[in-house]
Amino acid sequence: MRKRGNRGGTDLLFKNRQFGFWKESGVWKKEGKPVANQKKEHLQLKQIAVIHTDFSEKFGIPRQSGLVEGLRAEVVFAPEYRVPEAVRGLEDFSHIWLIWEFSQARREGWSPTVRPPRLGGNRRLGVFATRAPFRPNALGLSAVRLEAVEPDTPRGPILHVSGADLLDGTPIYDIKPYIPYADAIPEASGGFTDRVDRLLLAVDCPPDLLERVPPEKREALLAVLAQDPRPSYQEDPDRVYGMAFAGLQVRFTAGGGRLRVVDISK
């Protein structure tokens, strides 16, 4: 990079010898001509699908995808994208990436720092050092297991997935195959998450209450409760929490490393 002096009141010129680009009066040029696409462009995202899960409320959703493999969900495409050819070959992959919107976190403006709940809600970190929903672009990224692909149904192609950490009705903006050799980085460091305890709670659920849950949902419910849905800064063992799951209301208390289900009702 070479800087030329300010001669005759002209702007400084910055020139890249290899590619022939430089900036003059705020405009990037190449070979003396303005570079195309100087106008600031905005990408317009199109919702391609929606995901249906067992969570009608945010409380209780696992903090990351893959923590509760027993959670089942369906990805249903929007009418414009209900084309079987669009998912051809996807069945050969075991996992996929979902790019989605924090649809209940829409707000004007953004904050450069946030308080991650896993740090007790007292310490601030840069928003880009977290996965907090309140971001300049409220987009989320989840890796989920692809259980099955139904390419041609009355509702169009349907993807059956497991391990999703999404609210029911979450908009999906893109789907990409998970590629192990490129996407898996075993030696990666996890920042502050490496220093946060991820202990599972022992779950006590009376058999008569568990019988109120559909058999195919029981394992997933117990696994979700074991993840401790409470905010990490709440430690009152007598407080009764309520969680919506699969059309049911699950009420529980927690303390001392144990979670006790006190009621399950519709």
Side-chain angles (χ1 to χ4, degrees):
M1 194 75 77
R2 184 180 66 181
K3 184 168 81 173
R4 245 173 27 192
N6 188 356
R7 299 179 181 177
T10 60
D11 291 342
L12 291 176
L13 303 180
F14 295 88
K15 185 172 182 180
N16 184 304
R17 292 180 178 178
Q18 181 178 1
F19 298 104
F21 286 98
W22 68 88
K23 192 173 186 180
E24 182 176 356
S25 300
V27 177
W28 281 101
K29 295 186 176 182
K30 183 176 183 180
E31 298 176 354
K33 300 178 181 179
V35 176
N37 197 25
Q38 287 292 320
K39 185 180 179 180
K40 189 175 181 180
E41 298 291 342
H42 297 279
L43 174 65
Q44 184 176 7
L45 294 177
K46 297 180 179 180
Q47 180 180 336
I48 65 167
V50 66
I51 190 168
H52 295 296
T53 74
D54 287 322
F55 296 100
S56 60
E57 300 174 358
K58 291 187 294 183
F59 184 76
I61 297 177
R63 294 177 177 87
Q64 302 293 338
S65 60
L67 294 180
V68 181
E69 285 287 352
L71 288 172
R72 296 291 188 265
E74 289 183 346
V75 176
V76 180
F77 287 85
E80 182 180 354
Y81 304 101
R82 292 177 181 175
V83 182
E85 289 78 9
V87 296
R88 181 186 299 162
L90 194 61
E91 70 278 359
D92 294 331
F93 294 89
S94 66
H95 292 74
I96 57 176
W97 290 105
L98 301 178
I99 299 174
W100 47 276
E101 180 190 8
F102 288 100
S103 53
Q104 291 196 353
R106 295 171 182 167
R107 58 166 59 175
E108 294 293 330
W110 66 288
S111 173
T113 61
V114 296
R115 294 187 177 97
R118 297 302 285 170
L119 294 179
N122 298 317
R123 179 184 171 192
R124 283 192 172 274
L125 290 178
V127 65
F128 300 127
T130 75
R131 295 189 174 184
F134 301 109
R135 323 179 65 78
N137 295 306
L139 296 177
L141 178 68
S142 296
V144 298
R145 176 178 289 278
L146 181 61
E147 299 288 348
V149 178
E150 289 188 273
D152 193 6
T153 79
R155 294 184 293 165
I158 294 179
L159 308 183
H160 298 269
V161 302
S162 62
D165 56 338
L166 282 72
L167 186 72
D168 184 47
T170 294
I172 304 296
Y173 289 107
D174 203 5
I175 297 167
K176 298 180 185 294
Y178 179 96
I179 302 175
Y181 84 86
D183 294 344
I185 309 175
E187 69 276 15
S189 60
F192 73 90
T193 65
D194 287 341
R195 300 183 292 275
V196 176
D197 293 333
R198 293 187 292 273
L199 302 177
L200 297 179
L201 298 181
V203 178
D204 296 330
C205 182
D208 61 315
L209 294 181
L210 192 59
E211 288 178 359
R212 301 177 186 178
V213 182
E216 70 277 9
K217 304 287 187 182
R218 294 172 187 173
E219 180 182 350
L221 171 60
L222 295 177
V224 167
L225 295 174
Q227 292 286 333
D228 194 354
R230 302 172 302 162
S232 58
Y233 51 83
Q234 293 185 1
E235 292 290 344
D236 184 356
D238 298 321
R239 177 171 178 174
V240 178
Y241 298 86
M243 182 184 80
F245 179 81
L248 301 169
Q249 283 293 324
V250 182
R251 296 170 62 82
F252 63 89
T253 61
R258 304 192 74 85
L259 183 148
R260 299 167 180 83
V261 178
V262 298
D263 187 42
I264 297 178
S265 60
K266 290 187 177 181

